[in-house]
Amino acid sequence: MKKNLGVTAILILASALPAGPSPAVRLETLDDFKVLEGRFQEAVKAVRPAVVHLAIIGGDSGSGVIISPDGWIATCSHVVGHRPGARVRVTFADGRSAPGVTHGVHLAMDYGLVKISSEEEEGADKKPFPFVEFGDSEALIPGEWVIAMGHPLALFKGRGPVPRFGRVGGRFPSGYLQMDTPVAPGDSGGPVFDLAGRLVALNEAQSPDTVTEGDFAPTNDLRKVLDRLKNSEVLGVERIEGSGGSVQNLMKQAEFDQYMAACLAFAEGKIGKAAGIFEHVCQGTKPDVMVFYDAARAFSLWSVQEGDPQAKEERAQRAVSLLAQALPLGSIDSEAIEQDEAFAPLRERADFRDLREVLRDKGRAAGVPPIYRWQLQYPSATEADPRHRKDGPELLKILSAAALPCGPAIFSVKQEGRIAAFATAVSQEGFLVTKASELFFDAPLAVVGADGREIPAIIAAQDEATDLALLKIESPLPAVIAFDETQEAVIGGTFLISVAPGGAALSWGIVSLPRFETGRVNSARRPPGKKPGRPSEKPGLGLSTRTLEGSKALEVTEVVPRGAAQRAGVLRGDVIHRADGQAPETPEHLAEIAAAKRAGDVLVLRVGRQDKEGSPFVRYLEVRLGSGGAGSRMGEETALRGPVSVRFEGLGTVVQHDGVVWPAQIGSPVVDLAGQVRGLNLARPDWTGTYLLPASRAAEAVKQLLAAATEKK
């Protein structure tokens, strides 16, 4: 899937789900979650037949959704190659397929339209196609629940469309929606539904930074141009009335090229050069809010670099002026500006403080164009749930009531100074199970309880089929988890809660795939039968450093754009004095400190800076590590899948849920809303899901591991 500013899309009857607005949802008790669970299951059952996979002959592939009984499919322009007339292979939810052809596209909003050649449909009688109705994307409010569907990564035989659950987070200045339904390459063009089963958005792009953010194209604008797309028109070269688009779509190509040159200069630390180019772009015909915002960032940083006091003051004034010019063009987040370290040189200025007060004034909505005003219309929703996240702390607190009884039986596994995985107690005689391939066989390990006490442990047995290791400690375990070997299979759409040590709800999600075959072990990752070794994913800081002579500290010489360090607020010129409490004497030493962790772990940096008067001050920054090496961008596989477990293949039959569980959190039990243990988190395979070992298989594996440990005695 491409990155822009960015949702997802064969028989659903209009009477299958309630008509009218999507009913409001209040979640205050576990019973409220049960009601939501039922509504989700009902909606997925109704719309799933209309979700399709699209393979462009000789081109890309992605997802789509049928929007009419005669076979029109909504998808993204980049899925169909941005052109009409291309041949398409359409694969339905039940595995059947049919030919199709691309029609019109809208480049600014990334809309595409495909028509099924129904008279040539393979293996089916001529009849209306399953389809979905449009909803009202403008009616979506922050925090509203939505359902994303598609074919993440690829079309897998027997898998069908994969549903995921999330909430609306906000709206970009371009008009695209942001949601926290986890998506991945292959989901592009797939649908997003409201709880009434109506199409409200198309999956446009996943965030390159986090699993909990994706960009989605609202469908109201698609409805406006649907007839023109059916006529195979190419739209969106210029922005149409009422629709959004990326920065590129708002400017002439020459201006956009200059904007990108300015961004590159900024990333390379050539702040003065970047400011000059940004200034020129701001004089263009259709500058976007982000152009002014980025220009303001450049002038702000330039105001504390070389130059006489008058020049520095003029740069600072220009930075504030550019921010003020951005106000009429789109929504600017006051909190984001306050947290943006690029504006640190301006924070003590009276004109900058006045501008921040203007941003805080919700009455300014009258001066903001309608496409941006949406973000300011729901103050009560913002106050009730500031982040509008599925895994928001208020919701996890409610769900912890179901998870709490498991808490005393869950531990962390610590090895070489890092948390490698979670472990679940399965025998009072000191036995626990955990994820085998996340461990080092050549290093001591310990289990850590909720009280923080570290207890030495050894690996007593390993089950290759499930990638579980049995740990043994010398202390008795009063609380254990008993997996039910006779438990019935969990059904699709069931809400599941992953449990953290101590019993808090770590995350929660829905059963996307009640039964999924994980296939063979990827020999490039770990051949069958090989004992667990060191994880292959190297964590990445996303920066370069040099040693400062005469001190045990490093100066940051480069910060990778959109990398882990930049997201944490690290700036070029920062001096790193400590990394997780250690003094990094060389760039290689810093890399070694980072290498002791896994992708997704947090590395705490103590950095020194200077304020605009040249006075030094210290900041502590938490860097959530990416992957691909201490100074590089994300590796190819991590960029595709996200942080993944060392082994996620060759595990047999599993359940996939969409709860966000990082590799270092695999190994704890999962419960349903009634508190019943439904299995054990087994692997993190990609951005979109987590594999669960069903309770029946977990019970069998535990029995075999305990028997093997007894035989060794």
Side-chain angles (χ1 to χ4, degrees):
M1 296 189 313
K2 76 182 184 76
K3 173 67 182 169
N4 216 355
L5 283 176
V7 190
T8 173
I10 99 165
L11 176 52
I12 173 174
L13 301 177
S15 60
L17 289 166
S22 181
V25 177
R26 295 184 64 86
L27 296 176
E28 298 177 347
T29 68
L30 288 176
D31 285 339
D32 294 335
F33 276 90
K34 292 176 182 177
V35 173
L36 181 62
E37 178 184 54
R39 290 178 55 188
F40 173 85
Q41 292 172 345
E42 180 183 8
V44 169
K45 182 179 180 180
V47 302
R48 196 167 187 258
V51 183
V52 298
H53 179 267
L54 301 174
I56 312 305
I57 307 303
D60 293 330
S61 64
S63 303
V65 61
I66 305 175
I67 57 174
S68 70
D70 57 345
W72 286 103
I73 297 173
T75 185
C76 281
S77 174
H78 74 269
V79 171
V80 300
H82 304 294
R83 70 185 193 278
R87 292 183 299 137
V88 182
R89 173 57 54 181
V90 180
T91 302
F92 303 104
D94 60 5
R96 294 176 302 119
S97 66
V101 64
T102 63
H103 281 253
V105 295
H106 190 297
L107 301 179
M109 289 304 292
D110 203 15
Y111 298 138
L113 206 62
V114 172
K115 182 66 166 65
I116 302 171
S117 303
S118 56
E119 67 276 6
E120 300 180 32
E121 185 189 4
E122 300 172 0
D125 298 329
K126 294 181 181 179
K127 58 183 180 182
F129 290 99
F131 69 99
V132 299
E133 301 284 354
F134 280 102
D136 184 1
S137 57
E138 287 297 320
L140 294 173
I141 64 173
E144 184 163 347
W145 295 98
V146 288
I147 304 163
M149 298 186 75
H151 293 268
L153 300 181
L155 177 66
F156 289 88
K157 184 177 180 180
R159 185 183 69 173
V162 181
R164 279 138 288 165
F165 202 31
R167 305 177 77 182
V168 176
R171 191 185 298 266
F172 291 104
S174 62
Y176 285 102
L177 300 165
Q178 184 182 71
M179 306 179 190
D180 63 2
T181 52
V183 294
D187 281 316
S188 283
V192 170
F193 304 102
D194 61 20
L195 287 180
R198 294 167 306 202
L199 180 66
V200 292
L202 296 174
N203 176 26
E204 202 274 336
Q206 74 178 100
S207 168
D209 305 323
T210 173
V211 67
T212 57
E213 291 181 9
D215 302 343
F216 302 85
T219 52
N220 277 19
D221 290 329
L222 172 61
R223 295 169 67 181
K224 296 176 185 177
V225 296
L226 198 56
D227 288 339
R228 297 178 67 183
L229 296 184
K230 289 180 179 180
N231 290 329
S232 296
E233 293 187 44
V234 177
L235 307 174
V237 177
E238 294 290 339
R239 184 171 174 179
I240 65 168
E241 181 66 29
S243 70
S246 67
V247 171
Q248 181 176 8
N249 297 121
L250 301 177
M251 297 186 291
K252 295 179 179 178
Q253 185 62 46
E255 294 170 343
F256 178 72
D257 291 342
Q258 289 182 319
Y259 171 73
M260 294 305 296
C263 291
L264 178 61
F266 187 91
E268 293 175 343
K270 301 173 182 177
I271 305 301
K273 178 180 178 181
I277 302 174
F278 278 131
E279 180 73 84
H280 182 75
V281 178
C282 287
Q283 311 305 319
T285 55
K286 291 185 178 181
D288 182 84
V289 60
M290 288 308 299
V291 176
F292 283 98
Y293 185 88
D294 289 340
R297 296 180 80 240
F299 273 92
S300 174
L301 292 175
W302 196 24
S303 71
V304 292
Q305 292 188 355
E306 71 283 347
D308 58 65
Q310 181 178 350
K312 292 181 178 181
E313 172 62 21
E314 290 174 352
R315 295 166 191 168
Q317 290 178 0
R318 184 55 179 152
V320 176
S321 172
L322 286 164
L323 273 179
Q325 287 178 263
L327 282 178
L329 297 178
S331 176
I332 301 178
D333 191 315
S334 174
E335 182 179 353
I337 288 180
E338 292 174 17
Q339 294 177 353
D340 192 333
E341 289 301 318
F343 294 117
L346 306 179
R347 286 175 183 159
E348 301 304 318
R349 295 180 59 88
D351 53 359
F352 183 69
R353 290 198 300 268
D354 291 343
L355 183 62
R356 283 164 52 188
E357 288 302 318
V358 172
L359 287 171
R360 293 192 187 101
D361 181 10
K362 293 183 173 60
R364 76 182 181 88
V368 179
I371 195 168
Y372 310 118
R373 196 177 304 153
W374 176 89
Q375 291 181 294
L376 305 174
Q377 289 178 338
Y378 304 101
S380 59
T382 302
E383 292 165 6
D385 185 0
R387 297 189 302 163
H388 309 123
R389 294 296 188 196
K390 181 176 75 172
D391 279 342
E394 296 86 357
L395 301 186
L396 290 178
K397 184 178 180 180
I398 298 170
L399 294 168
S400 292
L404 190 61
C406 294
I410 306 172
F411 296 77
S412 299
V413 181
K414 190 172 183 179
Q415 193 172 47
E416 293 197 343
R418 69 184 180 98
I419 300 301
F422 288 166
T424 300
V426 294
S427 169
Q428 293 182 334
E429 296 180 3
F431 289 105
L432 310 91
V433 291
T434 188
K435 177 75 169 172
S437 59
E438 298 292 332
L439 305 180
F440 305 160
F441 264 38
D442 56 355
L445 56 85
V447 297
V448 184
D451 59 1
R453 186 166 62 98
E454 296 186 15
I455 307 171
I458 62 170
I459 299 176
Q462 178 193 358
D463 179 37
E464 177 66 26
T466 58
D467 194 28
L468 291 180
L470 185 71
L471 305 183
K472 178 69 170 69
I473 63 175
E474 294 305 320
S475 304
L477 293 167
V480 300
I481 299 296
F483 297 100
D484 184 359
E485 61 183 351
T486 65
Q487 188 178 99
E488 294 183 359
V490 65
I491 65 171
T494 300
F495 285 4
L496 295 179
I497 307 162
S498 297
V499 190
L506 174 69
S507 68
W508 69 287
I510 56 100
V511 173
S512 301
L513 300 171
R515 180 184 176 88
F516 182 69
E517 296 294 335
T518 55
R520 299 178 180 179
V521 175
N522 184 339
S523 59
R525 298 185 64 84
R526 186 167 71 83
K530 182 179 179 181
K531 289 187 176 181
R534 297 184 180 275
S536 59
E537 298 271 351
K538 295 181 179 180
L541 276 168
L543 54 77
S544 297
T545 60
R546 70 178 182 89
T547 304
L548 288 177
E549 292 186 15
S551 68
K552 294 183 178 181
L554 302 175
E555 180 184 9
V556 178
T557 58
E558 180 184 2
V559 179
V560 175
R562 303 185 71 86
Q566 186 185 68
R567 294 195 301 271
V570 177
L571 302 178
R572 187 172 179 266
D574 280 350
V575 177
I576 301 175
H577 295 281
R578 292 286 187 275
D580 272 4
Q582 302 181 56
E585 301 181 14
T586 64
E588 292 76 20
H589 187 198
L590 177 61
E592 290 175 2
I593 296 172
K597 294 177 172 289
R598 288 294 314 279
D601 290 347
V602 171
L603 180 71
V604 179
L605 298 180
R606 181 179 184 268
V607 303
R609 288 185 188 158
Q610 292 184 345
D611 61 20
K612 64 179 182 179
E613 282 80 28
S615 301
F617 67 96
V618 172
R619 293 184 64 90
Y620 287 87
L621 303 176
E622 294 185 352
V623 181
R624 185 167 296 279
L625 298 174
S627 181
S632 68
R633 302 173 189 269
M634 296 176 70
E636 181 178 352
E637 180 177 37
T638 300
L640 178 66
R641 291 182 173 272
V644 298
S645 298
V646 172
R647 179 180 166 194
F648 55 83
E649 295 166 315
L651 301 173
T653 304
V654 298
V655 174
Q656 180 172 315
H657 64 85
D658 71 349
V660 178
V661 181
W662 299 117
Q665 299 168 335
I666 293 295
S668 68
V670 177
V671 301
D672 59 21
L673 293 175
Q676 184 178 18
V677 177
R678 303 311 300 254
L680 186 81
N681 277 328
L682 188 60
R684 182 72 179 176
D686 57 55
W687 286 111
T688 67
T690 301
Y691 288 160
L692 168 76
L693 187 68
S696 57
R697 285 196 65 201
E700 179 184 358
V702 168
K703 184 186 298 183
Q704 293 176 354
L705 286 166
L706 290 172
T710 302
E711 290 178 6
K712 287 184 179 180
K713 291 183 179 179

